[in-house]
Amino acid sequence: MIANAIISVAKFFAAAVTGSSAMLSEGIHSVADTGNQALLLFGHRRSQRPADQRHPFGYGAELYFWSLIVAMILFGLGGGFSMYEGLVHLRHPELPQNVAWSYSILAIALFVEALALRVALRELGGKGSGRSLWQRVRNCKDPWIFVPVAEDLAALAGVVVAFLGIFLARALTVPALDAVASIIIGFILAGVAIFLGSETRALLVGEAVRDDLIQRVERICLEDDAVERVVRILGVNIGPDDILLTLGLRFGRDYRVEDAATAVERIEENIRNLDPRITRVFIEPEVATDRGGLTPPF
């Protein structure tokens, strides 16, 4: 966040010296990133508050809310202003001057953003798993991780586009290319914002956990001698590190109340040990009767 704030000042200075539309859009981009990271930090701290009477499942979903605000800012402030700036300069294009300033600042920004992306990718994990970067980002349910990854990728792309816009405008003596670069940067930011908005919206309304986790939970249940059949498993992400599971399990007719209660405790413990994000497990047991029906043992 601090690095982006410093880079944004440098980019605005370069934009003022060179008159480059692409550099101005990059400055707006860095301002949006700075504000977004501040909001993520704020949302992350609020999401760590313990559960209370009004919010018995905690505040984990609050980070999803602030991530949605980040996406809106990135779309409006970043994408919208960059496109507008590009269109204005497209009507009255000017050839960038003193481009050494722009090249130097873009080089520094490229280095800093590459370092930031490296850290974000290390936090994302999954390298060598056989899954693509797109799949790893989509499977991540923590905005604290996938939002910086998306923003850093957009930042790197923006720096490259800005450099090409300025360089080609000077090399070909076509000042409109600088304005076109600004518009392209706006589209990049808008695209990333739409992706982040879609991901956080799904999490806010209660996105189901991944199928592979459901399958592992089902396998644990069926491996227990008490379980005759898994009736249902429902899981939802209620926070970045908070998964709620509800299960319906059918026990054999020979199981008494005491046996079923012990089995439920044993299964719950095994499920929680499966993944530290599983913090809440609710099991509804059913026992087969001699008449072929089902009845809760409790």
Side-chain angles (χ1 to χ4, degrees), residues 15-82:
V17 171
T18 64
S20 169
S21 174
M23 282 303 299
L24 184 57
S25 293
E26 274 299 291
I28 295 170
H29 182 176
S30 293
V31 168
D33 282 351
T34 303
N36 291 343
Q37 285 146 11
L39 286 176
L40 277 179
L41 181 62
F42 176 73
H44 183 264
R45 289 182 175 177
R46 288 184 63 85
S47 70
Q48 300 300 306
R49 290 178 296 169
D52 53 34
Q53 188 173 3
R54 294 193 63 185
H55 298 86
F57 291 123
Y59 291 83
E62 185 152 353
L63 182 56
Y64 297 155
F65 167 77
W66 289 107
S67 300
L68 185 61
I69 299 299
V70 163
M72 294 169 61
I73 291 175
L74 194 62
F75 183 87
L77 180 62
F81 271 83
S82 295

Side-chain angles (χ1 to χ4, degrees), residues 30 34 57 67 96 123 128 134 143 145 173 178 180 189 278:
S30 293
T34 303
F57 291 123
S67 300
E123 291 295 322
W134 172 256
I145 297 175
T173 320
D178 180 51
V180 170
L189 296 180
I278 302 176

Side-chain angles (χ1 to χ4, degrees), residues 50-291:
D52 53 34
Q53 188 173 3
R54 294 193 63 185
H55 298 86
F57 291 123
Y59 291 83
E62 185 152 353
L63 182 56
Y64 297 155
F65 167 77
W66 289 107
S67 300
L68 185 61
I69 299 299
V70 163
M72 294 169 61
I73 291 175
L74 194 62
F75 183 87
L77 180 62
F81 271 83
S82 295
M83 292 181 194
Y84 173 78
E85 175 63 26
L87 290 172
V88 169
H89 276 73
L90 196 59
R91 295 180 60 186
H92 307 285
E94 297 179 5
L95 200 64
Q97 305 296 323
N98 303 315
V99 292
W101 283 102
S102 294
Y103 293 156
S104 300
I105 291 171
L106 287 175
I108 295 172
L110 184 69
F111 176 74
V112 173
E113 297 293 356
L115 287 180
L117 179 61
R118 183 181 179 185
V119 173
L121 289 176
R122 186 164 60 242
E123 291 295 322
L124 179 65
K127 185 177 180 180
S129 63
R131 292 178 294 168
S132 65
L133 177 59
W134 172 256
Q135 291 173 323
R136 287 154 57 194
V137 172
R138 288 296 307 274
N139 289 336
C140 180
K141 304 305 176 186
D142 189 352
W144 187 247
I145 297 175
F146 72 73
V147 171
V149 169
E151 285 190 340
D152 290 339
L153 287 171
L156 284 175
V159 168
V160 172
V161 170
F163 169 79
L164 290 175
I166 296 171
F167 176 78
L168 293 176
R170 294 279 300 181
L172 302 176
T173 320
V174 181
L177 292 177
D178 180 51
V180 170
S182 180
I183 296 173
I184 293 174
I185 291 171
F187 274 109
I188 291 173
L189 296 180
V192 172
I194 291 172
F195 166 74
L196 294 179
S198 175
E199 289 295 304
T200 52
R201 179 200 62 81
L203 293 169
L204 267 175
V205 300
E207 185 177 49
V209 298
R210 291 168 48 190
D211 291 339
D212 61 337
L213 179 59
I214 294 294
Q215 292 168 2
R216 285 186 290 161
V217 170
E218 182 178 18
R219 188 158 54 246
I220 285 178
C221 294
L222 292 176
E223 287 173 354
D224 194 285
D225 295 335
V227 178
E228 185 177 276
R229 187 168 74 87
V230 176
V231 179
R232 65 184 172 278
I233 301 178
L234 301 176
V236 64
N237 294 280
I238 59 176
D241 298 306
D242 203 351
I243 292 177
L244 182 149
L245 289 177
T246 63
L247 298 88
L249 303 179
R250 181 184 300 178
F251 294 152
R253 60 173 55 90
D254 296 331
Y255 271 81
R256 298 173 299 174
V257 171
E258 296 81 2
D259 298 330
T262 301
V264 166
E265 293 179 359
R266 180 173 63 248
I267 294 169
E268 285 184 355
E269 182 179 0
N270 291 336
I271 291 174
R272 286 194 174 93
N273 291 334
L274 175 66
D275 192 320
R277 295 175 301 166
I278 302 176
T279 56
R280 295 169 178 83
V281 182
F282 299 96
I283 297 178
E284 182 180 353
E286 299 173 346
V287 176
T289 65
D290 293 334
R291 298 179 180 179

